[in-house]
């Protein structure tokens, strides 16, 4: 079953609350770190891992945060790590590889 991701142009990191989103179980976080969620509270980061969201897109260093109830795709992080562009339209968006110009998501 595909996992839904919220595309967030303001997020610094990718975040997932679902263990099944990850290619392998997330590596537990040895650091006592947390993130601030929209309600202003801080919640702990439980681990980090990679998530394949399409056949062409693998999100790296995704934060595993079970108390958070959304999966966030960070547009700035994705465009930096995959060398792609994102085009926004009124009813959808397109991810495109810079070199091949192929639509990847």
């Amino acid at each position: 079953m595909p996992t839904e991701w919220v595309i967030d142009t303001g997020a610094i990191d990718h975040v997932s609350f679902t263990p099944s989103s990850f290619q392998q179980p997330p590596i537990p976080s040895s650091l006592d770190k947390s993130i601030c969620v929209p309600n202003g509270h801080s919640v702990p980061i439980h681990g980090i891992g990679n998530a394949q969201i399409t056949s062409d897109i693998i999100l790296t260093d995704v934060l595993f945060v079970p108390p958070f109830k959304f999966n966030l795709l960070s547009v700035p992080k994705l465009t930096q790590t995959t060398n792609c562009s994102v085009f926004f339209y009124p009813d959808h968006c397109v991810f495109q590889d810079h070199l091949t110009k192929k639509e990847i998501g």
Side-chain angles (χ1 to χ4, degrees):
M1 176 169 71
T3 302
E4 291 186 17
W5 290 81
V6 175
I7 298 168
D8 192 331
T9 58
I12 297 169
D13 287 298
H14 308 303
V15 180
S16 179
F17 74 99
T18 313
S20 62
S21 298
F22 294 88
Q23 291 177 305
Q24 297 178 355
I27 297 168
S29 178
S30 60
L31 303 174
D32 188 23
K33 291 201 173 193
S34 61
I35 63 168
C36 184
V37 293
N39 66 8
H41 293 108
S42 289
V43 293
I45 297 169
H46 289 241
I48 192 166
N50 296 336
Q52 185 159 1
I53 61 168
T54 72
S55 59
D56 295 310
I57 299 175
I58 297 175
L59 304 179
T60 57
D61 300 326
V62 179
L63 304 179
F64 178 45
V65 183
F68 198 62
K69 297 302 175 197
F70 298 95
N71 294 316
L72 291 183
L73 182 153
S74 164
V75 171
K77 189 168 186 175
L78 177 69
T79 57
Q80 291 169 0
T81 59
T82 63
N83 199 29
C84 76
S85 296
V86 182
F87 300 95
F88 290 93
Y89 298 95
D91 60 347
H92 71 285
C93 66
V94 174
F95 297 91
Q96 183 183 58
D97 182 276
H98 277 298
L99 298 176
T100 66
K101 305 299 182 200
K102 176 186 172 190
E103 183 177 310
I104 58 173

